Amino acid sequence: MAGTDGGRPSIYPTLLYADAKAAIRQLTEAFGFSEASVYESEDGTVMHAELVQGNGAVMLGSKGRGGVFDGAMKDAGPAGVYVVVDDVDAHHQRAVDHGAEILMPPTDQDYGSRDYLARDTEGNIWSFGTYAPEIRGCPRGYGAEPADRP
């Protein structure tokens, strides 16, 4: 299966922003992501960036940079991304301290998670919580192992 070697995630949410540099600032400062890489053109357009949170990552870039993906995303609306964090309340406080728009404060859910919702500078919805679904067939280190695997 592709993407299961070396402990790398196989799914990366990918977003385009009118102001990718502001998005990177908010995601790192308010939401605790770490920059893995940022590639800019000579005029400062973010051609590609990778931000890491835990064992997952999100890729992003500037709108209007050209290419097939940029064209396909031209009229796309906001997206929703869920990120697992260990301490929802501390994570929420960090977001509040950096001025993030909070849509729902930390809330205990009926299914056992504690999470909150925030909107980024361009309308994407970010959910941060403790729910980490168990995914059958997932490589070691990601979710639960299937019952029939030794």
Side-chain angles (χ1 to χ4, degrees):
M1 179 184 322
T4 60
D5 307 10
R8 291 178 292 184
S10 61
I11 298 175
Y12 297 84
T14 306
L15 306 167
L16 295 180
Y17 289 89
D19 189 344
K21 289 180 181 178
I24 291 168
R25 264 191 316 278
Q26 183 185 42
L27 290 170
T28 56
E29 293 173 6
F31 298 145
F33 282 79
S34 299
E35 283 185 25
S37 61
V38 177
Y39 302 96
E40 296 181 16
S41 65
E42 289 184 18
D43 68 359
T45 299
V46 177
M47 301 304 291
H48 177 82
E50 297 170 10
L51 305 180
V52 176
Q53 174 72 269
N55 64 359
V58 61
M59 293 188 276
L60 64 93
S62 296
K63 288 182 178 178
R65 68 188 205 282
V68 175
F69 186 75
D70 184 51
M73 293 291 289
K74 181 181 177 203
D75 295 322
V81 180
Y82 184 83
V83 180
V84 177
V85 297
D86 291 328
D87 186 338
V88 171
D89 295 286
H91 195 276
H92 169 262
Q93 189 59 54
R94 176 183 181 151
V96 168
D97 291 347
H98 284 87
E101 179 184 356
I102 305 300
L103 302 176
M104 181 185 79
T107 303
D108 292 325
Q109 303 298 331
D110 293 340
Y111 50 89
S113 183
R114 181 165 178 78
D115 48 45
Y116 78 95
L117 298 176
R119 186 185 327 266
D120 73 17
T121 57
E122 295 193 19
N124 297 297
I125 307 302
W126 292 83
S127 304
F128 298 94
T130 58
Y131 179 67
E134 294 182 6
I135 300 175
R136 293 188 61 78
C138 206
R140 292 197 188 280
Y142 294 100
E145 294 296 318
D148 58 349
R149 184 177 283 179

